[in-house]
Amino acid sequence: MIKQYLYISTAPGLSDEQVEAIVDESARNNTANAVTGLLFYNGRNFLQLFEGDGETVDALMVRIKNDPRHDGFSVLYEGEASGRACPGWAMKRIKTADSAPIRRETLEEILPGNLKDDLRKMVLNYATLN
């Protein structure tokens, strides 16, 4: 079984370069630890889904939660899946268009097809509202 987490947090004012550095570091670490996932940043909030071995992602969750670059941390989902939703993404940063309708349409095309319906809905709602 694969364990998945979805969380949201607040980190206003990070530059695009800082966010890209976070994504690059995450992708390196995730590859080494067989963790996959995706990340959104809208200029104020992170929404991240990551998945992998239970002990590995539990430890990662503790590190992320304690990272001083963000606060207002809230776990939206913690659960198990029979397979990975993002098998090819060590850490995929998803950038979306400015208008909400275009964002939703773009995300419908980008998001993995095997993402659980409740997780898909949370991701789409976040991206559409922010």
Side-chain angles (χ1 to χ4, degrees), residues 42-113:
N42 65 5
R44 179 168 174 76
N45 302 103
F46 283 110
L47 178 87
Q48 183 176 13
L49 168 70
F50 61 93
E51 57 194 5
D53 171 72
E55 287 183 26
T56 302
V57 295
D58 288 343
L60 178 56
M61 178 54 74
V62 170
R63 284 195 313 277
I64 290 172
K65 189 173 184 178
N66 292 320
D67 188 322
R69 294 175 287 193
H70 65 164
D71 59 16
F73 188 91
S74 181
V75 175
L76 302 175
Y77 176 82
E78 174 185 353
E80 293 186 339
S82 58
R84 292 177 186 268
C86 309
W89 295 347
M91 185 48 59
K92 169 83 169 167
R93 180 178 180 191
I94 298 179
K95 296 181 181 182
T96 56
D98 291 335
S99 77
I102 293 173
R103 266 185 261 165
R104 187 170 193 90
E105 182 179 317
T106 301
L107 282 172
E108 289 286 2
E109 295 171 9
I110 294 172
L111 289 176

Side-chain angles (χ1 to χ4, degrees), residues 2 16 22-23 35-36 40 42 47 49-50 57 65 84 101 106 108 110 118 122 126 129:
I2 296 296
D16 196 52
I22 291 168
V23 171
V35 173
T36 55
F40 289 91
N42 65 5
L47 178 87
L49 168 70
F50 61 93
V57 295
K65 189 173 184 178
R84 292 177 186 268
T106 301
E108 289 286 2
I110 294 172
D118 54 343
M122 285 186 266
Y126 165 82
L129 297 174

Side-chain angles (χ1 to χ4, degrees), residues 12-24:
L14 292 179
S15 69
D16 196 52
E17 292 79 21
Q18 289 171 305
V19 175
E20 285 302 323
I22 291 168
V23 171
D24 291 345

